[in-house]
Amino acid sequence: MIATTETKLPRLLMQLPGPKAKSVLEQDAKFMSPSFTRDYPLVAKRGRGAVVEDVDGNTFLDFAAGIAVCSTGHCHPKVVEAIQKQAAELIHMSGTDFYYEVLPQLGEKIVNTVPGSEPKKAFFTNSGTEAIEGAMKLARYATKRDKFIAFYGCFHGRTMGALSLTASKSTQRKGFGALLAGVEHIPYPNPYRCEHGHIAETCGAEILETLEHQIFKRIFDPEEVAAIVIEPIQGEGGYVSAPKFFLQELQRICRKHGIMFVVDEVQSGMGRTGKWWASEHAGIEPDILCSAKGIASGMPLGAFVARSSIMNTWKPGSHGTTFGGNPVCVAAALATMDLIEDQYKENARRMGEYLFAKMADWTKKFKIVGDVRGRGLMIGVEIVRDQRTKEEAADLRNAIVDLAFHKGLLILGAGANTVRLSPPLVIDQEQADFAVQTLETCIREIEKKA
């Protein structure tokens, strides 16, 4: 069992997976849906900070954080205390039909982090997907328009409306028939793979020109578009950051045509990039901002925040939820946001800079590393077959992720061929050093085999 003063680094006791883990894998195969994607056989039992222990007693350094969810680490004492206190007092009544004291408290806290001088209001959901669905409904309701524009590579969720915006992997959409009508996708600016040879600061100019002079003239009249939805940093798409000017110009276009500018910060928000929201780095002010994942340190909660003039357009009964804003989840979120503000937002910035400095020469050191990118503790390492051709090497990326697990480091893939680093915001320099050294070893071993 992980003690309060647990080791901060991995301890592997046996060949993985261990006997208890194998038993769980057999049960899972028998009773659980096969639709899940599991990269390696980790069977988690408990966690503390950035360390996870499996059912066989092996401990791992977690640089995945439950897909960027466990922002304050696993089982932070203050978060656990908040959950226990609230659970002993009131678990559920439904904020749709009644009132909770903690609900407006969290509403005030989260709206005050979102840029823009106009007052804002929040709606709490169970997940990021639900936040996107709510934002889509609000955009339609407020504008009386029904079209949407999203971007290739972006992931917005798996329910039918959010899935209609998602264009990350075809397998996520395959087999589900017709999705929501009136959704058009355009390219996302990727400086590493810019078709026009631009640098990071200018990549995407042609995409904006296509939007205004092709999409708006040949497909959708801008007066029919309810919203343009974008991730400021793609999550599942490979941790690709949109250039600052691109986001600013996109906002200008939205303002010009009365289109809702919806920013999906489900993965990039809650302090992960060193600011509350990744969009702050570009100085933009979204009309609607979506959040989830790290908002409640692992408890199921999401939110979308909109300018009050937008949120106030819909009437009672227009949108609701049974469990969104559950008081136990809200209590966890209040504790989480206090911790992020007081400690971990700054730590994410500082440790992100430290990691990037350590990884700055990887494209020179390794022939299969094409790009290292991101912000704060949202870092992507793109693995390629050849640096000159930039051929995607999904098999090599997968091999690196698997090998890292067997060395005690938990990471995940993103996009077709990118290794994603999204650790809890609590990591320290010793843990960062271990992650870098382990990844270097893994990349070197896989490169030799390749």
Side-chain angles (χ1 to χ4, degrees), residues 150-218:
F151 293 81
Y152 292 124
C154 282
F155 180 90
H156 299 291
R158 296 177 186 272
T159 52
M160 296 302 276
L163 184 61
S164 302
L165 298 179
T166 292
S168 179
K169 300 180 180 72
S170 61
T171 186
Q172 294 162 349
R173 296 163 65 102
K174 183 180 179 180
F176 298 111
L179 300 176
L180 189 68
V183 177
E184 185 71 23
H185 289 88
I186 59 177
Y188 187 96
N190 184 340
Y192 176 62
R193 296 182 176 276
C194 184
E195 295 180 357
H196 301 278
H198 288 292
I199 59 174
E201 289 73 20
T202 58
C203 178
E206 288 79 6
I207 298 171
L208 294 168
E209 186 174 336
T210 297
L211 173 62
E212 290 203 273
H213 299 292
Q214 298 296 330
I215 303 296
F216 286 166
K217 289 185 177 181
R218 302 180 187 278

Side-chain angles (χ1 to χ4, degrees), residues 55-325:
V55 290
D56 291 292
N58 301 293
T59 57
F60 303 82
L61 179 60
D62 184 5
F63 261 56
I67 319 181
V69 166
C70 302
S71 52
T72 61
H74 295 278
C75 301
H76 193 289
K78 290 187 177 180
V79 176
V80 172
E81 181 184 8
I83 291 170
Q84 290 174 334
K85 181 180 177 181
Q86 183 60 56
E89 194 171 79
L90 179 69
I91 292 178
H92 177 73
M93 274 295 290
S94 182
T96 290
D97 294 304
F98 305 99
Y99 296 90
Y100 296 132
E101 184 179 16
V102 292
L103 210 54
Q105 289 175 1
L106 181 59
E108 179 182 16
K109 190 177 288 287
I110 193 170
V111 301
N112 286 339
T113 67
V114 178
S117 58
E118 185 178 329
K120 301 169 188 69
K121 290 187 175 182
F123 185 106
F124 293 105
T125 67
N126 296 289
S127 66
T129 297
E130 283 191 12
I132 293 294
E133 293 279 354
M136 294 175 74
K137 288 178 68 177
L138 178 58
R140 277 187 165 187
Y141 197 98
T143 63
K144 302 299 184 277
R145 305 173 181 184
D146 66 347
K147 306 294 192 296
F148 293 92
I149 294 172
F151 293 81
Y152 292 124
C154 282
F155 180 90
H156 299 291
R158 296 177 186 272
T159 52
M160 296 302 276
L163 184 61
S164 302
L165 298 179
T166 292
S168 179
K169 300 180 180 72
S170 61
T171 186
Q172 294 162 349
R173 296 163 65 102
K174 183 180 179 180
F176 298 111
L179 300 176
L180 189 68
V183 177
E184 185 71 23
H185 289 88
I186 59 177
Y188 187 96
N190 184 340
Y192 176 62
R193 296 182 176 276
C194 184
E195 295 180 357
H196 301 278
H198 288 292
I199 59 174
E201 289 73 20
T202 58
C203 178
E206 288 79 6
I207 298 171
L208 294 168
E209 186 174 336
T210 297
L211 173 62
E212 290 203 273
H213 299 292
Q214 298 296 330
I215 303 296
F216 286 166
K217 289 185 177 181
R218 302 180 187 278
I219 300 177
F220 294 155
D221 187 291
E223 293 186 359
E224 293 185 310
V225 179
I228 295 177
V229 186
I230 190 169
E231 292 176 286
I233 303 177
Q234 287 188 337
E236 301 301 312
Y239 277 27
V240 180
S241 298
K244 179 178 178 180
F245 95 94
F246 185 88
L247 293 172
Q248 292 174 341
E249 279 297 291
L250 205 59
Q251 177 177 269
R252 180 191 64 78
I253 291 169
C254 286
R255 299 282 191 271
K256 175 182 176 182
H257 297 291
I259 298 168
M260 294 290 102
F261 187 33
V262 179
V263 176
D264 179 345
E265 294 256 24
V266 169
Q267 189 160 173
S268 59
M270 283 294 130
R272 179 152 294 281
T273 65
K275 293 182 180 290
W276 275 113
W277 311 106
S279 51
E280 290 183 75
H281 294 283
I284 57 175
E285 299 178 1
D287 294 307
I288 306 174
L289 181 145
C290 298
S291 176
K293 287 194 180 291
I295 191 173
S297 296
M299 295 297 285
L301 186 69
F304 58 97
V305 176
R307 290 187 283 114
S308 295
S309 59
I310 298 170
M311 192 76 83
N312 287 340
T313 59
W314 57 13
K315 303 298 184 288
S318 301
H319 193 53
T321 172
T322 299
F323 292 109

Side-chain angles (χ1 to χ4, degrees), residues 371-387:
D371 194 29
V372 178
R373 54 181 178 249
R375 281 189 182 275
L377 292 179
M378 190 174 185
I379 303 172
V381 181
E382 184 160 346
I383 306 300
V384 295
R385 191 84 53 197
D386 180 274
Q387 289 181 338

